[in-house]
Amino acid sequence: MLLHIPAILAPAQVAEFRAALDAADWSDGRATVGAQGARVKHNRQLPEDSPLARQLGDRILAALARHPLFFAAALPLRIVPPLFNRYEGGEHYGLHVDGSIRNLPGTATRLRTDLSCTLFLTEPGDYDGGDLVIVDTYGTHEVRLPAGDLILYPSTSLHRVEPVTRGARTSAFFWLQSLVRDTERRRLLFELDQTIQQLRARLGETEETVALTGQYHNLLRMWSDT
Ligand code: NI
């Protein structure tokens, strides 16, 4: 399931992020990938331990924690601190799959990457090229979102970033381990959650919405790992 989640950051926050990021020192993006990724990755990143990356990353994590649609879709258990990348002057990232296991920086904790996220920080009109192309079982999807919006997609998907031929494309990206490992179970829970919310909005709280909420939580209890 690919899910577009709008307005993780408000326009004023995006502007503040961009002012800080446009003035930052960027380094070679190959620092954070394995051998396969290094052959196809041509972009720049903020170093993982840069204070600016940590500060902006924490603000993104706080915004995600307040976002009910993100929570319902991702059911996050652990989230890797967000990283930041930038493409310009023809930079691109060839077809690859993200590594399956990552260390949480500064800890002994490892995380299985179930879901990958890109948070766009540049308006689509400000650059040419730079589409995130995701290949999944339903075909090929070209993703290019307004600044402040996020795409959530299974980390099992092959994907690439097309060359940026005008302007610069700045984004945050990160991975998470979900409470629910299986994509189809996670999708079913998300759809059930959304249906319950819609019923509650239309009818108010009823015996049936209370019962359905209980059934949702019993499925989540059955399928989640913590
Ligand atoms: Ni990737």
Side-chain angles (χ1 to χ4, degrees), residues 14-221:
V14 171
E16 207 185 317
F17 273 51
R18 281 293 308 283
L21 290 168
D22 289 349
D25 283 330
W26 294 84
S27 53
D28 191 322
R30 283 174 289 192
T32 53
V33 287
Q36 188 262 331
R39 279 199 294 275
V40 294
K41 188 173 186 182
H42 304 279
N43 69 357
R44 282 161 306 137
Q45 281 179 204
L46 287 192
E48 277 182 328
D49 55 358
S50 105
L52 179 62
R54 293 288 55 81
Q55 183 207 331
L56 297 182
D58 285 348
R59 290 178 62 187
I60 292 172
L61 294 177
L64 295 173
R66 292 191 298 266
H67 209 293
L69 189 61
F70 175 82
F71 187 87
L75 296 171
L77 172 62
R78 281 192 274 273
I79 305 180
V80 175
L83 298 170
F84 296 85
N85 63 20
R86 191 170 174 94
Y87 296 80
E88 64 185 319
E91 286 175 325
H92 61 282
Y93 195 167
L95 196 67
H96 67 280
V97 70
D98 295 339
S100 50
I101 305 291
R102 296 195 76 89
N103 286 309
L104 282 182
T107 74
T109 306
R110 284 185 291 185
L111 163 158
R112 184 187 65 236
T113 57
D114 292 324
L115 289 165
S116 299
C117 304
T118 296
L119 172 60
F120 289 76
L121 295 171
T122 309
E123 289 300 346
D126 291 347
Y127 60 97
D128 289 337
D131 288 10
L132 171 62
V133 180
I134 300 169
V135 184
D136 69 8
T137 47
Y138 299 103
T140 297
H141 313 272
E142 278 121 33
V143 181
R144 185 184 180 82
L145 300 181
D149 289 13
L150 178 140
I151 188 82
L152 185 68
Y153 61 99
S155 300
T156 48
S157 317
L158 286 168
H159 55 279
R160 65 177 188 267
V161 176
E162 301 278 39
V164 171
T165 55
R166 177 184 64 87
R169 169 199 192 270
T170 304
S171 308
F173 64 102
F174 54 93
W175 301 271
L176 65 90
Q177 180 170 335
S178 178
L179 290 161
V180 176
R181 176 179 192 155
D182 182 78
T183 303
E184 291 308 316
R185 287 179 176 176
R186 201 184 314 113
R187 178 214 296 271
L188 180 61
L189 286 168
F190 177 61
E191 290 173 356
L192 180 55
D193 174 85
Q194 297 300 291
T195 304
I196 294 169
Q197 306 289 343
Q198 287 156 13
L199 272 179
R200 190 175 285 134
R202 189 187 304 172
L203 306 172
E205 196 73 275
T206 65
E207 274 181 41
E208 290 77 11
T209 56
V210 171
L212 279 169
T213 302
Q215 288 146 15
Y216 169 88
H217 279 284
N218 288 338
L219 283 173
L220 181 55
R221 192 173 287 112

